[in-house]
């Protein structure tokens, strides 16, 4: 499909996911090009960011409003400590958003909470831990296919060690990550239904749709259209029929 045809289709979406490899410059160049193209027709946009954790939404708002500088944004969001991929990969996107007054949405679970769950499981969380994450009743652990895929990743990283309980906690942490991002996206749509929400997130959260997208869909009416785009897809991704509605080669 031609890029112009794809862009017209994406423009009709409620939520558009642009799945990245975090350290791939070509993916971020594609994200910026797509955002620029989507902005031209004039539909309101919001850019939702895996790389910024939810407690730092105020810093994003202040940056877009021109109240703090780019360096102050990095300091106030603790970007280097909490994300750490080179800022130069993302800076043009943030600057584009600021230039055009496009809202930025912090999506991610606080690192402290993710680590706690990875160590000791969801049941170890205390009441005060739920300020920025969904309640336990909204965290759906039932997708065994997703669990099995994540378990393979975990086991490959822990070859030769017994990690039976930790595999489950790792899965719970990943699902919490997805559910937090999904809940934040859905809430932003409810507040601003006129906006096309463009989500910048790692492709693993979008692969097969059962990371973030299905968890968003659970929270929204079935009529809301979501589109998944994997940027610069690998041959293996192209050969997998259910992972995405579209691909983008930049």
């Amino acid at each position: 499909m031609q890029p112009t045809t794809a862009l017209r289709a994406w423009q009709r979406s409620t939520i558009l996911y642009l799945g990245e490899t975090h350290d791939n410059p070509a993916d971020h160049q594609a994200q910026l090009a797509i955002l620029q193209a989507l902005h031209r027709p004039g539909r309101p946009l919001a850019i939702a960011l895996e790389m910024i954790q939810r407690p730092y939404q105020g810093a994003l708002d202040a940056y877009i409003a021109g109240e703090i500088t780019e360096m102050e944004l990095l300091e106030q969001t603790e970007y280097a400590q909490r994300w750490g991929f080179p800022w130069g990969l993302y800076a043009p996107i943030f600057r584009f958003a600021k230039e055009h007054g496009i809202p930025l949405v912090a999506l991610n679970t606080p690192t402290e909470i993710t680590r706690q769950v990875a160590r000791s499981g969801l049941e170890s969380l205390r009441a005060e831990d739920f300020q920025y994450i969904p309640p336990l009743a909204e965290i759906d652990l039932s997708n065994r296919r997703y669990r099995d895929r994540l378990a393979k990743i975990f086991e490959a990283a822990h070859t030769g060690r017994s990690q039976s309980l930790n595999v489950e906690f790792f899965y719970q942490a990943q699902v919490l990550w997805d559910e937090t991002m999904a809940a934040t996206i859905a809430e932003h749509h409810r507040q601003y239904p006129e906006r096309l929400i463009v989500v910048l997130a790692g492709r693993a959260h979008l692969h097969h749709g059962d990371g973030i997208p299905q968890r968003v869909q659970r929270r929204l009416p079935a009529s809301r259209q979501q589109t998944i785009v994997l940027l610069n897809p690998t041959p293996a991704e192209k050969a997998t029929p259910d992972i995405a509605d579209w691909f983008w080669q930049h």
Side-chain angles (χ1 to χ4, degrees), residues 60-121:
L60 292 179
D61 296 341
Y63 172 73
I64 293 298
E67 297 168 359
I68 61 173
T69 66
E70 190 171 303
M71 287 304 299
E72 289 171 326
L73 173 71
L74 295 179
E75 293 169 1
Q76 292 183 23
T77 59
E78 302 181 9
Y79 177 88
Q81 301 93 322
R82 292 178 180 270
W83 190 245
F85 290 96
W87 172 244
L89 296 172
Y90 295 95
I93 295 170
F94 279 70
R95 293 166 189 164
F96 171 76
K98 182 176 182 179
E99 179 184 357
H100 297 283
I102 299 171
L104 297 173
V105 183
L107 291 183
N108 214 333
T109 310
T111 301
E112 297 84 351
I113 305 300
T114 307
R115 288 176 178 167
Q116 172 65 24
V117 173
R119 284 194 303 264
S120 304

Side-chain angles (χ1 to χ4, degrees), residues 185-218:
I185 292 165
E187 179 58 27
H188 191 86
H189 171 69
R190 284 190 289 266
Q191 290 185 23
Y192 306 100
E194 74 284 0
R195 292 177 181 170
L196 167 57
I197 303 174
V198 182
V199 179
L200 310 187
R203 60 211 310 119
H205 294 287
L206 310 175
H207 211 191
H208 303 278
D210 52 9
I212 303 171
Q214 289 180 8
R215 299 170 196 278
V216 171
Q217 199 65 61
R218 199 180 75 228

